[in-house]
Amino acid sequence: MKVVSSREVAALIKDGMTVGISGFVGVGCTEELLKGLGERFRETGHPRDLTLMVPATTGDKKDRGVNHLAQEGMVKRIITSHMGFAPMIAELVFANKIECNLLPLGVQLHMIRARAGGYPGILTHVGLGTFIDPRVEGGRANERTKSDLGEVMVIDGKEYLFFRTLNIDVAFIRGTTADTKGNITLEKEAVIMDQLTFAEAARNSGGIVVAQVERIAEAGTLHPKDVRVPGVMVDYVVQAAPGNHPQTFAVEYDPSLSGETRIPLGALTPMEMGDRKIVARRAALELAADTVVNLGVGVPECVSQIVAEEGLDGRFTLCVESGPFGGRPAGGLSFGSAINPEVLIASNTQLDFYDGGGIDIGYLGLAEVDKHGNLNVSKFGGRVVGPGGFINISQNAKKMIYCGSFTAGGLKVASGDGKLTIVQEGKNKKFVDHVAQITYSGKYAASTGQNVLYVTERAVFRLSKEGMVLVEIAPGIDLQRDVLDQMLFTPVVSPDLKLMDERIFRTEPMGLKI
């Protein structure tokens, strides 16, 4: 193992190489390495035509992280699950200047693990019926992208998708401490992610492994149980400059995110009444004690605030696809980490648990839904951002709750006395005849018998084999004017149509018991 600078590492990377990059969107970014690589290209025009394997593209929604590599000619192809935090890369994809293959987060992580083990690929049900399926769009993000990474196989009469492994020439991984033998620990990291898997895959591809760390210690001073990546797998270590090794792009360092300390969560300021709180309250009615629950970004995050307001912390276990169990999931540029986590595991093993049906209840966003129960959260206005872990979660949770406002673009509501009033209707209808992209297949879900609800501030739908069934409306809402006329398809209206619980629309706590 050699201690080198990021510029020396950049000089080792040749045109056309495949670079694997660890990290989870705004958490655990190898900023020092990416910045150095981007600077070398600006100065020399090399390396060119790189293929990036970035399971959860790191960035700050501005210009850090993988955004450093968003330079014409530098990247030929990116394979990722999500580009929402890397707008500069996403812009190159949208402009058709680089190829982009989108895969569910778990699929890509498991492909990397398969390469580490020398396997030809992975066989999975994740992605069937969605835009990842080669019979739909094959996960191609633009016209420039011609190749599919998956193919359909039938085994014992059941369909699966097979994804082939790819070699990794260089792996960028991250830790907190490296000793002089290259052993890596992660004591101050907010996520474990897949540092070891990346290192194994690159080493067994005949490639090199570069670890970005905060500090370097003498050999023999690290406890062996704390070492996450053995030094025999690490070729180079780069000690990051101050400011280039933030725990997340939201905080430089918070020990409550890495499990080093536990902090009192304190008195939570109640959410203001509005459509987000109403949706989160109705969604929270589906919680059950002693269950494993995944909360996605956006409105689903608000469910944890309702849990706190109702005094229900600790009645179930919250988890995130990046690896934390327990505690309270963090949001924004810290999404993927958790405050006061009980356990931190590698993301690929977390997604084994998810794919096998380990989530009891999943909460995810509702951006666009159609008459078949399909959802789109990955493509808007022709721009594709990708599914992240959405498909792994949504296809495999025993029960799925999709949360969002009924319309978008200026919606204003008022509530009180147990009733809802639409003050100003949103300009954009979210319940459409056909979604722009199938991130979640209602047909596939119905075939598996999955329990699925679509929760909005004024109406609740249940998925059936016949499609979308309206099962609840809010008190004070006119069925025709406020619901049916605001949809671009006509749902089945349940003969047992109910009113949503009036406690949802009052300012005081609901008194929710689980």
Side-chain angles (χ1 to χ4, degrees), residues 159-203:
E159 289 185 342
Y160 295 90
L161 296 177
F162 180 72
F163 296 91
R164 297 187 183 279
T165 58
L166 299 172
N167 287 341
I168 297 176
D169 299 309
V170 183
F172 284 178
I173 67 171
R174 168 174 158 145
T176 301
T177 307
D179 70 12
T180 51
K181 285 190 172 182
N183 296 305
I184 308 295
T185 59
L186 278 67
E187 61 269 27
K188 293 174 69 174
E189 304 304 314
V191 291
I192 302 301
M193 274 302 291
D194 296 274
Q195 320 296 345
L196 177 59
T197 305
F198 261 117
E200 291 175 334
R203 173 52 62 106

Side-chain angles (χ1 to χ4, degrees), residues 53 55 103-117 119-126 163-166 194 197 201 321 346-356 392 396:
M53 291 193 70
L103 296 171
L105 177 63
V107 168
Q108 189 171 358
L109 291 175
H110 293 153
M111 287 170 63
I112 295 167
R113 186 175 64 187
R115 179 61 195 90
Y119 304 114
I122 67 162
L123 204 60
T124 180
H125 61 283
V126 174
F163 296 91
R164 297 187 183 279
T165 58
L166 299 172
D194 296 274
T197 305
E321 60 265 36
S347 187
N348 67 75
T349 54
Q350 180 79 303
L351 286 154
D352 283 332
F353 179 68
Y354 279 24
D355 290 353
N392 297 94
N396 298 301

